[in-house]
């Protein structure tokens, strides 16, 4: 009968799934079939890491929500100002969990092919200005200079929703990991057939 196993060869790492099947008598041969499953294993590891990271991201706000709810149940009528503060913290953690779930749903739609790219003409400076304005409170809190540097304004075609999500994620990370009084700069260049958008910061990365 046939048997199968997996082996990993290093330098560089390559993973094979091997099926061994003996031939019928009188010959005493064994037929080995090698399937290169390196990419499958890599994707499995990526998915495993992704699930672990998402679990960690959700566990933090859930633990905070549970703790503040327990505190509220004990101190509900003692200090109205503190109660209001706790409710605001709970709202922020709920928003964080909602954003994580929204990202998961978005990823699911992308993987299933049910979230096609919908391109529209976008005017660079007006579009970026709105994103910068939405992140201005965080930049102001850390005294970070957040600005767009572009030689000139121009129009380009892209999916405004997906581009918005990508830029906000990059800028949010840049602001979080840039020290106070640093800089986060959005660079844009029209190269004719393509455009280049880049996020540069003075952070720890």
């Amino acid at each position: 009968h046939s048997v199968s196993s997996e082996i990993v060869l290093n330098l560089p790492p390559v993973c094979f799934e091997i099926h061994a099947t003996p031939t019928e008598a009188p010959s005493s041969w064994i037929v080995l079939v090698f399937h290169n499953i390196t990419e499958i294993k890599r994707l499995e590891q990526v998915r495993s890491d992704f699930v672990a990271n998402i679990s960690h991201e959700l566990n933090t706000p859930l633990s905070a929500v549970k703790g503040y709810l327990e505190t509220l149940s004990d101190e509900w009528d003692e200090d109205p100002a503190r109660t209001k503060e706790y409710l605001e913290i709970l709202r922020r953690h709920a928003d964080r969990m909602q954003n994580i779930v929204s990202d998961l749903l978005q990823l699911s739609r992308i993987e299933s092919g049910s979230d096609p790219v919908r391109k529209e003409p976008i005017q660079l400076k007006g579009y970026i200005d709105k994103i910068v304005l939405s992140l201005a409170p965080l930049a102001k809190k850390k005294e970070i200079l957040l600005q767009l540097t572009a030689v000139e304004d121009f129009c380009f075609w892209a999916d405004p929703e997906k581009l918005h999500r990508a830029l906000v994620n990059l800028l949010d990370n840049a602001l979080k990991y840039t020290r106070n009084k640093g800089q986060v700069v959005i660079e844009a260049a029209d190269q004719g057939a393509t455009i280049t958008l880049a996020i540069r910061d003075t952070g720890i990365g």
Side-chain angles (χ1 to χ4, degrees):
H1 64 282
S2 298
V3 295
S4 62
S5 183
E6 294 179 6
I7 64 169
V8 177
L9 304 179
N10 293 319
L11 299 175
V14 181
C15 186
F16 289 99
E17 182 179 56
I18 304 175
H19 294 273
T21 304
T23 60
E24 296 181 358
S27 301
S28 56
W29 295 88
I30 296 179
V31 178
L32 299 177
V33 179
F34 289 73
H35 294 282
N36 189 335
I37 57 173
T38 306
E39 183 64 13
I40 294 174
K41 287 295 182 181
R42 186 188 70 81
L43 293 175
E44 287 178 352
Q45 186 60 49
V46 168
R47 184 174 293 275
S48 176
D49 292 343
F50 175 76
V51 171
N53 289 335
I54 287 296
S55 299
H56 175 73
E57 288 292 323
L58 283 172
N59 186 62
T60 301
L62 280 172
S63 298
V65 167
K66 182 179 179 181
Y68 278 106
L69 285 175
E70 290 174 351
T71 303
L72 274 174
S73 66
D74 295 333
E75 305 178 8
W76 181 260
D77 297 325
E78 294 182 9
D79 188 341
R82 183 179 295 177
T83 297
K84 185 176 180 180
E85 178 186 351
Y86 287 169
L87 289 173
E88 176 60 24
I89 293 173
L90 286 170
R91 184 193 65 79
R92 290 201 300 268
H93 283 298
D95 287 344
R96 181 180 175 187
M97 287 187 287
Q98 186 177 38
N99 289 335
I100 293 173
V101 172
S102 177
D103 288 343
L104 286 172
L105 291 173
Q106 178 75 10
L107 179 61
S108 176
R109 287 193 294 267
I110 292 172
E111 288 187 335
S112 66
S114 60
D115 189 32
V117 174
R118 297 178 176 86
K119 291 185 179 181
E120 298 178 13
I122 297 175
Q123 200 67 32
L124 174 72
K125 288 189 175 179
Y127 182 79
I128 298 297
D129 283 346
K130 291 180 180 178
I131 294 177
V132 170
L133 184 62
S134 70
L135 295 168
L138 178 57
K140 183 178 180 181
K141 181 179 179 181
K142 299 183 66 176
E143 299 182 72
I144 294 174
L145 176 62
L146 174 61
Q147 64 178 357
L148 166 69
T149 61
V151 176
E152 59 183 11
D153 194 12
F154 55 85
C155 184
F156 62 97
W157 285 80
D159 187 315
E161 181 182 343
K162 292 180 176 59
L163 181 60
H164 182 276
R165 179 176 283 106
L167 289 176
V168 167
N169 284 342
L170 289 170
L171 289 168
D172 184 62
N173 282 335
L175 290 169
K176 286 178 179 176
Y177 295 103
T178 295
R179 297 180 180 89
N180 289 10
K181 299 183 179 180
Q183 291 186 359
V184 176
V185 177
I186 309 161
E187 298 178 349
D190 184 358
Q191 300 172 324
T194 61
I195 68 157
T196 298
L197 291 173
I199 311 296
R200 302 189 186 277
D201 61 68
T202 56
I204 60 177

